[in-house]
Amino acid sequence: MQPIKVRAETADDFRAIDVVNLSAFEGEAEAQLVGELRKSGGFIPDLSLVAELNGRIVGHVVLSRVKLKSAAGSSEILALGPMSVVPSQSHRGIGSELIEAAVARAKPLCYSAIVVAGHPDYYLRFGFKPVQDWGITSNLSIPDDALTAMELVDGALSGGGEVEYPDLFKALF
Ligand SMILES: CC(C)(COP(=O)(O)OP(=O)(O)OC[C@H]1O[C@@H](n2cnc3c(N)ncnc32)[C@H](O)[C@@H]1OP(=O)(O)O)[C@@H](O)C(=O)NCCC(=O)NCCS
């Protein structure tokens, strides 16, 4: 397989990212969420990444800001997702490359942790852990064991708390 290039999205990629999301998910909710996220205050252009294969966009992941509210106060962490790889290119490590690139890019931007809703079995292999390890919950309608997180700064999640996703995510969860 040709090497995968992972890079930040540009405006020229929006349509191709839509196509990736529409092909990977049933329905339009994830593609719409990505579009809405771009217009929202939590969006970070450098953390909306595409995977390119032979000049074609075959995968996408977005990390955006969410609040973590704990007894110690409120802080900003990152939420990973939606994430997608076109079905014709799945199971080839492209999703793994996107996650590793996203984590590597989030660290120098000084975010302290990343949380992910859904598919815990997939994310555990990258070092994400069940949020129950830190006593963390969320405002999403998902079981707490469907939420995993990774500290980018040691101890960042040790105070527990509730992850407050923006209402935009409630179309999915
Ligand atoms: C999940 C997804 C992004 C993985 O991308 P990928 O490029 O296939 O991932 P990788 O090749 O790095 O890893 C593949 C492994 O992930 C695991 N995996 C894939 N989908 C999974 C899922 N839904 N739940 C748990 N594990 C999963 C499998 O163990 C697979 O291993 P295998 O190839 O030996 O079968 C891709 O399958 C996809 O777009 N799925 C539909 C959309 C989705 O569910 N997105 C994630 C939630 S936002």
Side-chain angles (χ1 to χ4, degrees):
M1 193 169 84
Q2 294 291 311
I4 299 293
K5 179 179 172 188
V6 177
R7 60 168 176 80
E9 69 170 32
T10 70
D12 289 342
D13 302 320
F14 292 174
R15 182 67 202 132
I17 292 169
D18 265 356
V19 171
V20 171
N21 280 306
L22 291 169
S23 70
F25 293 99
E26 287 173 24
E28 299 178 0
E30 287 80 6
Q32 279 172 1
L33 173 59
V34 170
E36 294 296 320
L37 274 174
R38 277 195 198 102
K39 295 184 263 172
S40 75
F43 186 67
I44 307 158
D46 286 344
L47 295 181
S48 183
L49 304 179
V50 293
E52 237 180 29
L53 177 65
N54 296 327
R56 184 176 148 241
I57 293 183
V58 293
H60 175 252
V61 65
V62 57
L63 277 67
S64 59
R65 282 185 283 266
V66 290
K67 282 191 182 132
L68 174 63
K69 291 190 166 172
S70 69
S74 178
S75 60
E76 275 190 335
I77 62 170
L78 296 170
L80 186 153
M83 160 163 164
S84 52
V85 171
V86 292
S88 62
Q89 299 295 336
S90 66
H91 304 286
R92 295 180 181 194
I94 297 172
S96 302
E97 287 204 36
L98 278 168
I99 292 176
E100 282 159 13
V103 171
R105 285 168 185 241
K107 281 183 186 166
L109 296 178
C110 295
Y111 288 99
S112 61
I114 304 176
V115 64
V116 190
H119 301 317
D121 293 347
Y122 183 61
Y123 294 103
L124 292 176
R125 74 186 67 180
F126 303 103
F128 287 82
K129 296 179 187 165
V131 290
Q132 292 105 318
D133 287 14
W134 297 282
I136 288 174
T137 59
S138 83
N139 64 341
L140 298 178
S141 302
I142 56 169
D144 287 339
D145 63 3
L147 203 62
T148 54
M150 175 192 281
E151 288 183 335
L152 301 178
V153 173
D154 281 348
L157 299 176
S158 57
E162 181 183 59
V163 180
E164 195 178 274
Y165 277 82
D167 286 346
L168 294 174
F169 280 85
K170 296 197 174 152
L172 296 190
F173 303 102

